[in-house]
Amino acid sequence: MSDANSRFEVVVVGAGPAGLAAAAAAAESGRRTLVLDATPWLGGQIWRGREAKGGSGSAKRWLARLQATDAVVARQTTVVAAPRPGVLLAESPEGPREIGWETLILTIGARELFLPFPGWTLPGVVGIGGLQVLVKGGWPLDGKRIVIAGSGPLLFAAGAEYRAAGADVVLIAEQTDLGKLARFGLSLPRLAPRKITQAAQYQASLLGVPYRPGCWAVSAQGADRLEGVTLRSSRRTWTERCDVLATGFGFLPNLELPRLFGCRTANGAAVVDDRQESSQAGIFIAGEPTGIGGEGRALVEGLIAGFSAAGRLERAGRLEKKRRRAMAFSRAMDRAFALREEVRNLASPETLICRCEDVARRDLEKFGDWRAAKLHTRCGMGPCQGRICGGAVEKLYGWDAASNRPPVFPVQIGTLRDPEPGSRGASK
Amino acid sequence: MAEIVSLTINGRPVRVPSGTVVAAALALAGESRFRRSVAGHPRGPLCGMGVCFECSVTIDGRPHCRSCQTLCAEGMEVRTDE
Amino acid sequence: MYGCDVAVVGAGIVGAACASECARAGLSVIVFDRGPVGGGTTAAAMGHVVVMDDSEAQFALTSYSRRLWRDLAAELPAEVHYEACGTLWVAADEEEMAEARRKEEFCRVRGLRAEILDEAALREAEPNLRPGLRGGLLIPDDAVLYPPSAAMFFLGRAPQNKIEFRAGSEVRALNPDGGVILGDGTRISAGLTVNAAGCGSPDLTAGLPVKKRKGHLVVTHRYPGHIRHQIVELGYLKSAHSVSSDSVAFNVQPRANGQMLIGSSRQYGAEHPGVEFGILRRMLERAAMYLPDLGRLVAIRSWAGFRPATPDKLPFIGPSAGNQKIWLATGHEGLGITSSLATGRLLADMVLNRPSEIPVAPYSPARSLLEGKAHG
């Protein structure tokens, strides 16, 4: 590979909203910029599919803004390690790839939080965001009965999309009580007038779908796949027959890469300054890894990171007010949709917590921390590397399930051992 | 973009629109069990974003491929239940 | 206060085996560890039960201990994943083949099973090895296991209430009169104290010539049947015992669950506990020279750990040179899993004045030049 394709002034890891904004800002500022993403798509999980359709709304604007720059794009490129200072090792369809950087921007997004409950391992139980992404990839929902359970306004957004894909949305169960929701609604207009109209639009398109605040899924039933879900509210417990249960309990920042680089984290998020710079000089972090805040916050943080990485601190500083507003909004959301104790603690002793290694809750209870539990039950030792069960045990026991050992993602051994492209065939 | 891609799923021919991910092709073909867990339980996609590895299948002879992150390609051979 | 008959510092597999053997002989035992059971070298180890023959004493200890493992095999719980898959020593050239024959004879005259494989037999035994290797030596009675679960099993194997385990107890010093002084200043007395703190043992016993030797491992996704034995290159003998420079060797293990462990590396003087990419790369490069398909398999984790090494590659087992109340069970380097059971048995034999099945003198801490300053 030519040097021109392996060394960049600014390398942006992750091409979701924050990454697109960061790459655009850095490239517009004249920096030789590379943006890479593990998927074949630009736009991250939230804008998946928009690129192929020519985009719409803000996705269209941001994709166009990036395309107008000289930024280089690398798809299906997964960063797995940092073999030397200033160098990333990535897996790509053409084989392993070493990429040199002077400034690094980590915009690696978030994953969904999954809370274990009896039956959650049955095929048919999915994350709400995950199902949205699958639908964009052609997953059939026509005529399927879907129950949506969890917390937050994304339940509506997901319900609207499922419905547009032909699904029969049986119920949206919002674990937060009505009183709390009403208070949140009152606090909204001052913070972000557009958000409430969005929510109203979703609700309108879902007209006729029962929406129940103060209600949550307690278990899923089925033999080889999901057949029904049992729900509970303060008044009753009942079962709904369904093909799909989509759960949405919020998101967890992806922190494996920040940790690999030694960036400081606190309270489950990466610590950054006003310019989005992490505790490691030259490494910027923007979007969900600094705290779950959604698209709006990701875009403004991405711009700040891109301008800062290009040395345009004054330009970045002009976005400060917008950033503060976005942060205030996400904090209000966190408070309004805080998870209730019953929902955190639904797993029975037999419920599997680690789905890779099939480790049940009762096997974990004997241990006082993540490391001891992991060592003796193999919880978190499977291919997901604790990305699913780690979030669950944090919510169940308050354990810190952090890990920072390479590879940060399962990787072909050939990628680790051989950095020279062309010395082995392209991998399927 | 209405191109059609032909692949096989557990030996059966399946035709899907281009741009379809392998996980979706499996669902279109009526498969709900993508793999068996280490203790033998049936599993299907959970996260849809390449994180959980529950949707792993064998693609062109290579085990443990995440079907939610792989686009269907002409002539691809997919097997569930690794 | 009088705490117990025996205080064991370190809940690794060696400390756990010592505690278990003492408790089974009727002594009361408290085990201290700053972390969980098997959280140090035991957690980082491969879990290979292997007879080694660098010296007669090493052979005596490892073959005795392997026999104890075999005797115990039926009792081991499922999570220990004990599998007598055997060791396959691979010879790449004629020089290594000569070493295979020497080892074969060494084992045979001492009554252990060993079988020379020619090139064709090697291919049949391990079809994924690259063609063109000269042959090998199969030691069918060697085994593999999951070490942290074995350590846990040892602690639980004692009669009721005979072993108390104190997790998260940092031992600051060993009391010269027996017993330990904890990080918070608490003194717990004991008839005698066993320093089984592995890489931490020199911190508690000043002057103890135990040095950290760093190693790396990689674990793969599940590929049942890709390899069938623990496979080790005979070039290992040339590289692994070099005491001056970093070395890597081909050493892979099939886990009972279908995963493979890929090793190995040895470094002296490396203090940083994290994974070093350069070493990892060299190690995988070496492994792929023997298993060419390895590059296509998926690695899911890597880690590094330290082994407690002694100058003569033999552990210290017995009372320390300077103090009969402070005992040692440390310095097993890469053979702690294999020789844990024998270490526990020999230590208990000495504590109880029982006859031992093998001579204990070669492992006596007095052989080192401690000159009576064995406690700190």
Side-chain angles (χ1 to χ4, degrees):
Chain A
M1 184 171 293
S2 70
D3 190 54
N5 274 326
S6 60
R7 282 207 63 79
F8 294 85
E9 288 173 293
V10 177
V11 172
V12 181
V13 183
L20 294 179
E28 285 164 5
S29 306
R31 301 293 155 143
R32 234 183 93 63
T33 303
L34 170 76
V35 56
L36 53 86
D37 196 279
T39 72
W41 309 278
L42 289 181
Q45 304 297 354
I46 188 165
W47 288 342
R48 161 129 24 141
R50 303 275 183 91
E51 191 190 6
K53 295 195 180 85
S56 63
S58 56
K60 185 176 183 173
R61 279 201 310 280
W62 286 95
L63 286 164
R65 184 165 170 181
L66 180 75
Q67 273 151 19
T69 71
D70 295 332
V72 179
V73 174
R75 298 162 198 259
Q76 287 176 274
T77 302
T78 307
V79 174
V80 293
R84 295 183 300 285
V87 176
L88 300 174
L89 175 67
E91 188 167 58
S92 79
E94 292 78 41
R97 185 169 172 188
E98 283 199 349
I99 300 159
W101 53 271
E102 287 165 24
T103 305
L104 188 62
I105 305 179
L106 301 175
T107 48
I108 57 266
R111 57 179 175 267
E112 286 190 83
L113 167 65
F114 289 95
L115 296 174
F117 53 88
W120 77 300
T121 56
L122 284 168
V125 179
V126 293
I128 54 163
L131 185 58
Q132 284 176 284
V133 169
L134 285 169
V135 167
K136 289 169 187 166
W139 185 277
L141 280 188
D142 204 18
K144 300 285 188 211
R145 286 174 59 84
I146 298 189
V147 170
I148 299 171
S151 201
L154 286 179
L155 303 186
F156 286 119
E161 281 197 32
Y162 304 158
R163 205 154 189 217
D168 172 10
V169 180
V170 180
L171 171 72
I172 297 179
E174 163 62 62
Q175 57 108 43
T176 307
D177 286 323
L178 192 58
K180 220 173 161 190
L181 279 180
R183 285 195 297 281
F184 176 64
L186 287 176
S187 72
L188 261 179
R190 193 166 46 88
L191 284 162
R194 266 183 49 238
K195 299 279 177 182
I196 203 153
T197 47
Q198 276 174 8
Q201 278 165 4
Y202 288 135
Q203 289 194 49
S205 70
L206 281 168
L207 210 61
V209 173
Y211 174 70
R212 285 178 198 273
C215 169
W216 61 96
V218 293
S219 67
Q221 297 91 38
D224 276 345
R225 55 161 300 126
L226 180 72
E227 288 160 23
V229 53
T230 299
L231 296 131
R232 181 172 299 157
S233 69
S234 58
R235 259 167 288 162
R236 64 187 187 120
T237 300
W238 77 104
T239 297
E240 295 281 359
R241 188 174 55 77
C242 62
D243 306 301
V244 178
L245 169 61
T247 70
F249 295 105
F251 294 86
L252 294 172
N254 286 327
L255 294 175
E256 291 77 13
L257 272 180
R259 287 193 171 116
L260 182 74
F261 288 105
C263 303
R264 205 156 69 78
T265 62
N267 304 318
V271 176
V272 291
D273 64 15
D274 287 350
R275 303 290 172 262
Q276 302 298 138
E277 192 162 16
S278 73
S279 64
Q280 297 288 329
I283 300 180
F284 296 77
I285 306 174
E288 308 291 31
T290 68
I292 301 303
E295 181 185 315
R297 180 170 160 189
L299 286 166
V300 67
E301 287 195 3
L303 278 178
I304 293 174
F307 287 128
S308 303
R312 296 173 68 190
L313 298 186
E314 192 265 336
R315 178 70 186 81
R318 273 187 263 152
L319 293 159
E320 182 55 27
K321 219 164 136 186
K322 219 170 164 182
R323 176 178 179 262
R324 284 190 194 283
R325 214 162 41 224
M327 288 176 81
F329 177 73
S330 50
R331 276 196 293 271
M333 293 273 284
D334 281 353
R335 280 195 302 276
F337 294 102
L339 293 175
R340 61 198 310 148
E341 183 53 31
E342 300 99 311
V343 170
R344 288 165 180 260
N345 207 7
L346 285 169
S348 72
E350 297 75 34
T351 304
L352 297 181
I353 306 297
C354 170
R355 303 169 59 120
C356 294
E357 297 285 330
D358 282 352
V359 181
R361 178 174 187 170
R362 82 166 99 68
D363 299 322
L364 295 176
E365 307 266 274
K366 305 166 200 156
F367 300 95
D369 62 60
W370 170 247
R371 188 168 139 66
K374 187 173 173 178
L375 208 52
H376 290 287
T377 67
R378 306 186 55 77
C379 183
M381 286 210 190
C384 96
Q385 299 169 325
R387 282 176 169 86
I388 303 297
C389 61
V393 299
E394 277 176 48
K395 297 295 175 198
L396 272 173
Y397 308 121
W399 291 350
D400 177 9
S403 163
N404 63 354
R405 288 184 304 214
V408 289
F409 224 81
V411 63
Q412 282 194 65
I413 288 169
T415 299
L416 293 179
R417 77 171 233 258
D418 175 11
E420 295 304 318
S423 61
R424 76 193 171 103
S427 53
K428 251 322 232 329
Chain B
M1 289 300 283
E3 225 176 287
I4 296 293
V5 175
S6 301
L7 64 159
T8 65
I9 292 175
N10 294 333
R12 283 186 297 131
V14 175
R15 287 160 58 80
V16 297
S18 76
T20 302
V21 295
V22 173
L26 284 154
L28 287 163
E31 302 284 351
S32 61
R33 189 190 72 212
F34 282 49
R35 70 176 195 104
R36 280 194 186 280
S37 72
V38 298
H41 308 300
R43 295 288 166 77
L46 173 72
C47 81
M49 300 182 191
V51 170
C52 72
F53 288 75
E54 288 286 29
C55 69
S56 295
V57 295
T58 298
I59 299 179
D60 293 337
R62 246 186 70 204
H64 314 307
C65 296
R66 287 167 291 163
S67 60
C68 75
Q69 296 295 292
T70 312
L71 286 168
C72 290
E74 189 63 32
M76 192 179 253
E77 288 177 23
V78 179
R79 294 213 154 262
T80 59
D81 214 9
E82 40 191 85
Chain C
M1 67 173 180
Y2 187 80
C4 54
D5 298 327
V6 179
V8 177
V9 184
I13 196 164
V14 170
C18 292
S20 171
E21 290 295 329
C22 289
R24 282 157 52 79
L27 301 172
S28 66
V29 183
I30 303 180
V31 181
F32 301 89
D33 201 295
R34 60 186 170 205
V37 175
T41 306
T42 302
M46 214 173 196
H48 184 198
V49 176
V50 57
V51 171
M52 293 292 285
D53 60 1
D54 288 353
S55 63
E56 286 289 352
Q58 189 188 57
F59 176 83
L61 187 68
T62 54
S63 58
Y64 173 43
S65 205
R66 190 185 73 176
R67 177 154 57 80
L68 296 176
W69 276 112
R70 286 169 60 80
D71 293 346
L72 195 59
E75 271 181 64
L76 294 172
E79 64 266 22
V80 175
H81 287 264
Y82 180 90
E83 286 254 325
C85 62
T87 303
L88 187 53
W89 296 90
V90 177
D93 54 27
E94 195 47 49
E95 185 192 356
E96 290 174 12
M97 201 60 202
E99 173 63 13
R101 290 193 202 93
R102 186 202 63 76
K103 277 172 98 74
E104 188 268 341
E105 195 191 331
F106 189 96
C107 288
R108 187 163 35 79
V109 301
R110 286 162 183 78
L112 300 192
R113 295 202 295 160
E115 183 190 342
I116 288 286
L117 306 185
D118 64 13
E119 187 177 343
L122 181 67
R123 291 281 290 163
E124 196 176 324
E126 291 290 354
N128 283 311
L129 281 173
R130 78 167 155 85
L133 293 165
R134 178 64 187 78
L137 172 69
L138 177 64
I139 308 289
D141 295 328
D142 284 353
V144 302
L145 55 82
Y146 182 63
S149 292
M152 187 69 99
F153 168 70
F154 290 165
L155 288 185
R157 196 173 166 235
Q160 279 279 294
N161 303 328
K162 281 296 185 185
I163 297 183
E164 181 190 336
F165 173 54
R166 297 202 187 169
S169 301
E170 178 104 43
V171 171
R172 190 206 297 162
L174 309 184
N175 189 334
D177 302 324
V180 298
I181 303 162
L182 300 182
D184 64 4
T186 309
R187 286 169 178 266
I188 293 160
S189 71
L192 62 89
T193 305
V194 180
N195 180 354
C199 289
S201 56
D203 300 337
L204 298 170
T205 301
L208 193 64
V210 169
K211 294 235 183 312
K212 293 196 288 187
R213 206 171 188 191
K214 189 172 176 177
H216 286 75
L217 283 177
V218 170
V219 65
T220 70
H221 211 311
R222 293 169 191 242
Y223 301 97
H226 194 83
I227 56 169
R228 302 159 183 173
H229 310 83
Q230 174 109 18
I231 316 178
V232 190
E233 61 164 301
L234 279 161
Y236 189 85
L237 302 162
K238 300 168 200 162
S239 62
H241 299 289
S242 136
V243 291
S244 52
S245 62
D246 297 350
S247 63
V248 297
F250 168 61
N251 185 346
V252 295
Q253 176 178 108
R255 310 280 325 172
N257 63 12
Q259 290 183 312
M260 281 190 283
L261 283 178
I262 307 172
S264 59
S265 72
R266 281 161 197 262
Q267 295 165 268
Y268 267 120
E271 287 294 322
H272 172 62
V275 169
E276 292 168 59
F277 212 77
I279 296 282
L280 202 66
R281 207 165 240 182
R282 278 175 59 196
M283 199 173 84
L284 293 171
E285 199 64 49
R286 185 84 190 165
M289 280 172 56
Y290 286 85
L291 289 170
D293 286 345
L294 209 57
R296 297 216 317 260
L297 309 187
V298 168
I300 61 177
R301 265 177 306 126
S302 69
W303 63 92
F306 292 103
R307 316 167 176 96
T310 64
D312 61 2
K313 302 180 200 97
L314 292 175
F316 296 123
I317 308 169
S320 63
N323 185 331
Q324 295 292 306
K325 294 225 169 210
I326 295 179
W327 290 50
L328 296 169
T330 185
H332 294 71
E333 200 180 343
L335 292 170
I337 309 305
T338 298
S339 41
S340 56
L341 274 175
T343 299
R345 188 67 60 87
L346 295 179
L347 184 126
D349 290 342
M350 284 184 266
V351 168
L352 297 158
N353 282 317
R354 296 185 307 212
S356 292
E357 282 199 49
I358 63 170
V360 295
Y363 322 110
S364 163
R367 77 182 187 275
S368 71
L369 303 171
L370 287 176
E371 296 179 337
K373 291 187 181 123
H375 59 82

